[in-house]
Amino acid sequence: MKILLVEDEPKVSAFIRRGLEEEGFEVEVAYDGRFGRQLALAHAYDLIILDVILPYFSGLEVLEALRAQDHETPVLMLTALGTTQDKLQGFGGGADDYLVKPFDFPELVARVRALTRRRGQQTKGAVLSFEDLTLDTAAKIVTRAGQPVKLTAREFGLLELLMRHPGRVLSRAELAADVWEDSFDAGSNVVDVYINYLRNKVDKAFSQKLIHTVVGMGYVLRVQE
């Protein structure tokens, strides 16, 4: 997850950046509103953390520029301005959340995770592709080399998870937790069975195999070596 932090106080920005990077986020920092607006409009971020009082352009002006161009990136206002009117102004300008300084860092992390998780849910209706394999998450259509591939709901869920993490080995437990949720029996071989179903439908008719077993670890979507 990539975050843009627009904060003009070097000590505060360094503290936030270090803490979020320790939590696994990638953080880019802008120290004024002009550069922050430039980065926010030119690049894709999963979240923008925005101070209000900034040099050149205020955080509210940066937010206004974003929303004027229909940027839907979640924005967390992080500022010392904490009156009800300040918050109403922030939310009215299109902010998704508002946290007042001074703040507890665990609360900031919790809000960041909530906003980025919501962002991920909003972007799930996408068309995923890997090599000649395409999966439309909204229309529930899968094609390989332009030919339709008919999948059951479980097979579709497994393939979608693999296609969201190409090149990453996913364990049976990870696959089961996402696709079967609470109904999964940890003692069964149902994941292996469904992976075999997928291979028969996705790979069997093609020389280039995409679904691979990593012995003792799980399964991965990648080009055959």
Side-chain angles (χ1 to χ4, degrees), residues 13-201:
S13 63
F15 166 72
I16 294 173
R17 181 177 190 170
R18 182 173 60 253
L20 289 178
E21 287 179 340
E22 288 176 356
E23 293 290 330
F25 296 97
E26 180 183 350
V27 182
E28 189 167 3
V29 180
Y31 296 98
D32 63 68
R34 181 168 59 194
F35 188 45
R37 186 179 73 166
Q38 179 182 332
L39 289 176
L41 292 175
H43 302 284
Y45 297 96
D46 296 291
L47 175 68
I48 298 173
I49 301 176
L50 193 57
D51 194 0
V52 173
I53 302 174
L54 296 166
Y56 304 112
F57 297 112
S58 72
L60 291 172
E61 289 174 311
V62 175
L63 178 60
E64 181 183 10
L66 274 171
R67 298 311 187 220
Q69 295 194 19
D70 295 325
H71 279 252
E72 297 180 355
T73 306
V75 173
L76 168 61
M77 306 300 291
L78 184 63
T79 173
L81 302 178
T83 68
T84 299
Q85 185 59 39
D86 291 325
K87 294 177 182 179
L88 289 174
Q89 192 173 10
F91 285 119
D96 298 273
D97 202 353
Y98 199 106
L99 184 59
V100 179
K101 299 175 183 176
F103 58 91
D104 292 325
F105 190 75
E107 182 178 2
L108 173 64
V109 172
R111 294 188 184 219
V112 166
R113 292 198 184 283
L115 288 170
T116 53
R117 182 168 59 248
R118 193 182 311 160
R119 169 72 166 174
Q121 292 169 347
Q122 290 171 347
T123 57
K124 281 189 176 180
V127 176
L128 308 177
S129 61
F130 183 81
E131 294 296 310
D132 58 353
L133 180 64
T134 300
L135 181 148
D136 188 322
T137 62
K140 304 300 182 186
I141 295 173
V142 176
T143 61
R144 177 85 194 260
Q147 299 300 312
V149 179
K150 293 183 179 181
L151 301 179
T152 66
R154 297 290 194 196
E155 293 163 358
F156 187 94
L158 273 177
L159 183 61
E160 180 180 351
L161 190 57
L162 288 167
M163 291 187 71
R164 287 190 181 279
H165 304 281
R168 176 185 161 191
V169 178
L170 297 172
S171 69
R172 291 170 176 81
E174 287 178 287
L175 292 167
D178 190 276
V179 178
W180 278 267
E181 299 177 340
D182 295 334
S183 64
F184 177 68
D185 178 2
S188 74
N189 67 338
V190 67
V191 173
D192 307 270
V193 171
Y194 272 83
I195 287 289
N196 190 51
Y197 292 160
L198 265 185
R199 281 181 169 142
N200 285 333
K201 295 180 178 182

